[in-house]
Amino acid sequence: GLGGGSEDTYVRSMAAAAFRRGWRVGVLNMRSCGKSPVTSPRFFSARNGATDDVRLALAHVREELRLLGHDPKVAVVGWSIGATILNN
């Protein structure tokens, strides 16, 4: 949910289930959410900018996969406002 992150039980449970099925797993904590330090002048905003962060993170992951010779396809999961951000 809003403000949650990689330490939340439901996120860790989903990540563990995907990993057991052979998936590579990563978690994106939105700016200042989920105990993530603030390292930029902009805070998380569900209204402005959140989709930019997701797009940038996915582009980075896809490029890293390509460089490693892996298929760059990525599946994403979100809860609450995170699901809305992903759908946008």
Side-chain angles (χ1 to χ4, degrees):
L2 185 60
S6 56
E7 295 295 320
D8 291 337
T9 303
Y10 57 91
V11 175
R12 294 172 64 90
S13 177
M14 177 66 79
F19 182 78
R20 284 192 303 272
R21 287 169 177 76
W23 293 37
R24 291 178 185 88
V25 177
V27 177
L28 172 66
N29 286 338
M30 300 307 287
R31 295 171 189 243
S32 71
C33 296
K35 299 181 183 177
S36 294
V38 178
T39 60
S40 71
R42 191 173 95 192
F43 285 99
F44 166 70
S45 169
R47 183 171 168 231
N48 297 317
T51 57
D52 292 345
D53 287 346
V54 172
R55 285 186 179 108
L56 182 64
L58 286 174
H60 175 74
V61 168
R62 287 181 178 132
E63 181 60 21
E64 290 296 313
L65 289 171
R66 277 189 206 97
L67 290 173
L68 293 170
H70 298 294
D71 185 346
K73 291 180 187 170
V74 175
V76 295
V77 176
W79 288 268
S80 189
I81 193 70
T84 301
I85 292 167
L86 290 173
N87 280 318
N88 287 338

